Amino acid sequence: MTAVNQKNAPWGLARISHRPKLTFATFNRFDFEEKAGEGVDVYVLNSGVSESYQDFEGRASWGTNATGDDEKIDGNGLGTHLAGIVAGCKHGVAKRAGIIAVKVVYANREVDPKALIKGLEWTVEQAKGSGRPSVALIGDVWMGKLADVDEALDAAANAGLFVVVQAGDNKDDAPDTGLPGSRVVRSDVSPAHPPQRSSCTRRCRRYGRRI
């Protein structure tokens, strides 16, 4: 493996690459493996992804639109934002991962549970067909706890898909907020310890036990 050091990195990247408390020398340094994400597909289930965004270096593609609006665009930017955090060349963690847009959220940020289920089922079939390690990243979708959504998420995870649900930004205990998914779904809660919480972590970031 070849280690790479990204200088002037965002605080979040620096935080996840250093176990000890960040210091003046490490607070903006992201240490990562050069080929991080290579060979992995990340399906972003949200409002779509802007494929031409330069930070993706041509690694983003359109998968499917489960909303039925027939527009292959990111109507509000949330999906592109999430994809950038995951795999953008400047702000992303896995900088060589492939990005596949699965549109399940409308431009007004509303989501139909049926669209989410349809998008998730499509993702499972695509991942099976590709034979590549695959991640399903579900953005900040709020619909409460629905049995059919939970069943679809459990089925996806049991089929070998690594499912991640964004914890959200309301400063609540994530397991108590009605996030979709059961114990097999990984919930992305803030990893920061209290002494190193950012201002956003104190104000808005959800927290909770690791599942």
Side-chain angles (χ1 to χ4, degrees):
M1 294 192 300
T2 302
V4 177
N5 169 251
Q6 179 183 346
K7 298 180 180 179
N8 298 317
W11 176 89
L13 290 182
R15 180 64 187 87
I16 65 173
S17 68
H18 298 89
R19 284 185 178 275
K21 183 176 180 179
L22 295 180
T23 66
F24 180 78
T26 60
F27 80 94
N28 64 351
R29 194 187 81 197
F30 179 40
D31 298 334
F32 64 99
E33 202 277 310
E34 184 180 25
K35 294 185 178 181
E38 190 171 281
V40 176
D41 289 330
V42 179
Y43 295 83
V44 181
L45 283 76
N46 204 265
S47 57
V49 173
S50 296
E51 302 167 83
S52 60
Y53 183 45
Q54 62 183 8
D55 211 33
F56 298 148
E57 304 175 306
R59 290 175 286 108
S61 61
W62 194 268
T64 190
N65 184 349
T67 65
D69 65 8
D70 297 325
E71 289 188 299
K72 293 184 177 182
I73 60 173
D74 184 354
N76 57 46
L78 292 177
T80 302
H81 175 73
L82 282 175
I85 293 173
V86 174
C89 67
K90 293 181 180 178
H91 301 94
V93 178
K95 301 180 187 296
R96 292 197 178 186
I99 302 164
I100 302 172
V102 180
K103 188 172 181 178
V104 299
V105 177
Y106 295 96
N108 62 3
R109 301 193 180 188
E110 290 185 359
V111 56
D112 183 344
K114 293 180 180 179
L116 177 58
I117 293 172
K118 182 179 179 181
L120 193 61
E121 290 175 343
W122 181 90
T123 298
V124 170
E125 292 304 312
Q126 287 296 118
K128 285 182 179 179
S130 72
R132 291 158 59 91
S134 300
V135 176
L137 171 60
I138 301 174
D140 202 354
V141 296
W142 301 114
M143 58 185 70
K145 298 287 286 184
L146 299 176
D148 52 351
V149 172
D150 281 357
E151 289 175 4
L153 288 163
D154 287 349
N158 291 332
L161 194 65
F162 191 92
V163 183
V164 179
V165 179
Q166 181 184 346
D169 301 315
N170 296 91
K171 199 182 177 183
D172 296 320
D173 191 340
D176 296 330
T177 58
L179 285 167
S182 72
R183 62 182 177 81
V184 300
V185 178
R186 284 74 173 175
S187 180
D188 168 30
V189 299
S190 174
H193 299 296
Q196 299 190 68
R197 286 179 177 172
S198 69
S199 58
C200 181
T201 303
R202 291 194 300 270
R203 292 195 308 268
C204 61
R205 188 65 173 162
R206 279 206 170 105
Y207 57 89
R209 61 187 178 276
R210 292 174 182 266
I211 299 175

